[in-house]
Amino acid sequence: ATLLPPLPTSPPPHAATLTMGKVHGSLTRAGKVRNQTPKVAKAEDKPKSPKGRAFQRLKYNRRFVNVETGPGKKKSPNSNAT
């Protein structure tokens, strides 16, 4: 069995560049952004959207059944133009 030389106990040369300690700021500033944003009133209740099978049916009807073909390009599903 060969004996290995003892490992150096001094820190590696790049260890001096690492900043050890505080990273994320003090707790006195916690919640600063949320507290200074203006309060926005809740929107009025809207009817709930269908879920599951009913929503798939709604999408099918919207895409394939009620198709309005007109002159020009196809209207995108996200367009709000009438």
Side-chain angles (χ1 to χ4, degrees), residues 40-72:
V40 178
K42 287 243 179 176
E44 288 189 26
D45 290 336
K46 58 183 177 185
K48 75 179 185 76
S49 61
K51 308 280 192 279
R53 172 200 49 79
F55 188 69
Q56 297 296 335
R57 179 179 174 219
L58 187 142
K59 285 200 299 192
Y60 171 78
N61 288 331
R62 192 186 292 158
R63 290 179 185 172
F64 300 110
V65 178
N66 297 335
V67 181
E68 297 168 7
T69 54

Side-chain angles (χ1 to χ4, degrees), residues 1-81:
T2 58
L3 292 175
L4 295 173
L7 294 172
T9 56
S10 63
H14 60 79
T17 59
L18 293 176
T19 56
M20 306 295 286
K22 301 177 184 71
V23 179
H24 288 297
S26 64
L27 289 176
T28 57
R29 291 194 295 271
K32 167 183 177 284
V33 174
R34 183 177 176 179
N35 289 334
Q36 71 186 7
T37 53
K39 184 84 169 124
V40 178
K42 287 243 179 176
E44 288 189 26
D45 290 336
K46 58 183 177 185
K48 75 179 185 76
S49 61
K51 308 280 192 279
R53 172 200 49 79
F55 188 69
Q56 297 296 335
R57 179 179 174 219
L58 187 142
K59 285 200 299 192
Y60 171 78
N61 288 331
R62 192 186 292 158
R63 290 179 185 172
F64 300 110
V65 178
N66 297 335
V67 181
E68 297 168 7
T69 54
K73 291 176 122 179
K74 178 178 177 279
K75 193 171 80 168
S76 83
N78 198 30
S79 73
N80 293 321

